[in-house]
Amino acid sequence: MSMPAASFEPQSTSAPENAAQPAAALPLPVADAPAPSKLAERVRSVAATVLPPTITLVAILMLWQLAYGGPTSGVPSPLRVWSEASEFILKPFFWNGDQDFGLGWAALTSLKRVAVGYSMAAVLGILVGSIVGQSVWASRGLDPIFQVLRTVPPLAWLPLSLAALRDSDTSAIFVIFITSIWPILINTAVGVRNIPQDYRNVAQVLRLNSFEFFWKITMPAAAPYIFTGLRIGIGLSWLSIVAAEIVAGGSGIGIFMWNAYNSSHLSEIVVAIAYIGLIGFALDRMIGFVGDIVSRGAAAN
Amino acid sequence: MENVTKLPVQPIAPSAAPEVKSSEAYLRMDHISKSFTRAGKTSQVLKDVNLTINKGEFVAIIGHSGCGKSTLLNLIAGLTQVTTGAVLLENREVNAPGPERAVVFQNHSLLPWLTVYDNVSLAVNKVFSAKKSRAERHDWVMHNLDLVQMTHAKDKRPSEVSGGMKQRVGIARALSMEPKILLLDEPFGALDALTRAHLQDSMMEIHQRLGNTMLMITHDVDEAVLLSDRIVMMTNGPSAMIGEVLDVPLGRPRKRIEMASNPIYLKCRESVLKFLYERHGFVEAA
């Protein structure tokens, strides 16, 4: 940065005519060029990621409007959604009493459930997965059972949990837990099984105890696998919450949709779908981001 | 596999034994055999290996690939168990890994998520948690990184330094445990010739400075002759055993270039080569 100035000075004093043309003409654009070109680069890269989806979205909305714009169509068109439910889009957190409140509140209620159920699944899944991955016999005994249980659809757990727990809120949390634990558990087990023998040898020579081995070797070495499981898990738990709430009742974004359906507010359902999609996307990216930070270096060797 | 006929181990009380002098047995391999059983078939890798290593000695074990020399090192390290016989360190039987027999692994085995410093401090913190204060442990990590000239890269991750540097850190980690014997498993095998020469020189210098006991597995004849006081030559497997033990009567410090024309060096080199290629030529099918 200071280099052009330093080299410019002796040139201008010793050879003024010479410096006037190439040196004076050159350093200015050279010194100035990086800043705008970097900015332009930034703008270009942002545009490259933002523009295509924006254009696609606008095109889809237009097609949708054309297809369902008629006054008798069963599905609300984008313009009708805007005119009927713009309050829900613009003000996520309004509160006009227990029966009329913003989608943000409903989503928060659902997210709270997901947070509880998913956290339990994460802790237990990683712990049990580490044990299953570590021990051949635990793996042989438990893996077939896990493989069967993980294919059970989330809602199939609901009748049993409603009957056993007798509470819609707890049942919904249980459904989230039982849905998201399998990918976390199975991925952790695979990750632990794949810890290179070299690291185990190092741990053995150092005489790390099982607690130290878990924190210093297992966790970092299996982190990429664990976070793959966590990412699948958060997706599944968000997938199941809406269905669980609709069936089990109570509160949350699923109930919001169900109430909107019962009172024929189709536009509100459309908005709720967009909310669910965006929140799910954000959750997925959040776990992915944390995973990238935590497992940085673990893959590279 | 469990028909172990362990040899009686003389229960010499360590305190009663006098201070181990350089001429006394320090590490002893007593009639070691090792067999692996897989799918009902038992194959013997090592047969009746007897070897004694003295304190401060640098011993190289050389042999063709597949002769079980790495298995032998793993047995001494305790990473695998002997089938019969015993490994004794200072007259005590060893059968589990431990930091007093630190290993420098062939592929460095650094933990990729830790920095160079943290890789060494993991070992230091574990081994010296009770004996040294936090500041002393830090100094000890830095001292060992300095021994292998790696202080400049202490905050880098293993993926950010070269192969030779990784192996230097591996050596620093092993040295930092203050092992009674340092076990080196083909430590320079994966490195290019120039880097290897650098590291061999470093190794000789460290051995000179610290006077520790070292056992190195190698398949490089020059490396064996240059570095060691004795060369143990293994016959080909299966059922490999010690074929011959050669003393290398060269003074220290040894200079690589002077050695190139030293008659004793050349004589030693010749006898190792003769053993490896004339009498125990590598059989491809083995």
Side-chain angles (χ1 to χ4, degrees), chain B residues 201 226 254-262:
Chain B
D201 292 343
L226 182 66
R254 299 172 184 172
K255 291 271 185 314
R256 179 180 301 276
I257 298 167
E258 288 166 19
M259 288 300 139
S261 54
N262 184 311

Side-chain angles (χ1 to χ4, degrees), chain A residues 195-209 212-213 215-222 293-301, chain B residues 74 77-79 96-103 105 107-114 119 122-127 157-159 166 173 177:
Chain A
I195 295 175
Q197 187 58 41
D198 300 339
Y199 303 166
R200 295 181 188 278
N201 286 345
V202 170
Q204 277 191 289
V205 169
L206 285 175
R207 291 210 182 119
L208 296 185
N209 58 40
E212 289 165 325
F213 185 78
W215 284 112
K216 293 183 170 165
I217 310 282
T218 308
M219 279 295 108
I293 291 176
V294 171
S295 55
R296 176 190 47 189
N301 200 345
Chain B
N74 283 341
L79 291 167
E100 80 281 358
R101 280 159 288 127
V103 185
F105 296 97
N107 52 354
H108 68 75
S109 292
L110 298 178
L111 304 177
W113 54 86
L114 294 179
N119 263 290
L122 176 73
V124 171
N125 288 338
K126 178 65 189 168
V127 177
R157 283 170 198 274
S159 57
K166 282 182 200 142
R173 178 174 64 185
M177 301 177 207

Side-chain angles (χ1 to χ4, degrees), chain B residues 195-252:
Chain B
T195 311
R196 190 185 307 171
H198 270 298
L199 275 167
Q200 287 165 351
D201 292 343
S202 294
M203 217 58 234
M204 282 196 284
E205 198 192 305
I206 289 166
H207 182 233
Q208 191 80 12
R209 262 174 81 175
L210 307 179
N212 32 15
T213 315
M214 300 197 189
L215 177 68
M216 181 176 69
I217 304 290
T218 184
H219 50 219
D220 181 333
V221 177
D222 282 296
E223 183 170 279
V225 179
L226 182 66
L227 295 185
S228 50
D229 301 314
R230 269 191 305 154
I231 302 173
V232 175
M233 293 172 256
M234 307 270 298
T235 65
N236 284 325
S239 301
M241 41 193 197
I242 293 175
E244 211 172 287
V245 180
L246 177 78
D247 276 307
V248 183
L250 288 163
R252 288 180 190 273

Side-chain angles (χ1 to χ4, degrees), chain B residues 4-179:
Chain B
V4 182
T5 54
K6 281 235 170 83
L7 279 138
V9 177
Q10 308 90 307
I12 299 169
S15 53
E19 177 75 11
V20 179
K21 294 270 153 35
S22 60
S23 59
E24 281 180 50
Y26 192 55
L27 181 88
R28 200 145 63 84
M29 283 156 252
D30 199 350
H31 299 279
I32 288 180
S33 300
K34 177 67 187 172
S35 314
F36 288 104
T37 307
R38 175 167 281 179
K41 272 177 71 181
T42 302
S43 55
Q44 192 174 41
V45 182
L46 291 168
K47 186 182 153 193
D48 200 32
V49 174
N50 287 293
L51 183 68
T52 303
I53 294 171
N54 301 322
K55 197 170 189 179
E57 210 179 9
F58 197 123
V59 175
I61 297 180
I62 197 165
H64 292 291
S65 63
C67 74
K69 48 193 197 299
S70 281
T71 306
L72 183 57
L73 187 118
N74 283 341
L75 292 174
I76 299 166
L79 291 167
T80 39
Q81 302 296 314
V82 293
T83 308
T84 58
V87 179
L88 298 119
L89 181 64
E90 289 185 314
N91 284 321
R92 266 190 272 190
E93 186 173 359
V94 293
N95 40 29
E100 80 281 358
R101 280 159 288 127
V103 185
V104 176
F105 296 97
Q106 181 174 9
N107 52 354
H108 68 75
S109 292
L110 298 178
L111 304 177
W113 54 86
L114 294 179
T115 62
V116 163
Y117 179 91
D118 290 337
N119 263 290
V120 180
S121 78
L122 176 73
V124 171
N125 288 338
K126 178 65 189 168
V127 177
F128 297 105
S129 59
K131 283 175 244 159
K132 288 186 201 283
S133 72
R134 182 182 286 265
E136 283 171 331
R137 292 200 297 262
H138 167 78
D139 291 344
W140 183 240
V141 173
M142 292 309 286
H143 171 74
N144 280 284
L145 284 175
D146 188 47
L147 269 180
V148 295
Q149 293 134 39
M150 279 303 293
T151 45
H152 63 94
K154 70 180 177 67
D155 296 321
K156 289 196 171 152
R157 283 170 198 274
S159 57
E160 296 168 317
V161 299
S162 70
M165 290 184 183
K166 282 182 200 142
Q167 202 49 278
R168 281 176 189 276
V169 180
I171 293 166
R173 178 174 64 185
L175 285 172
S176 75
M177 301 177 207
E178 271 193 331

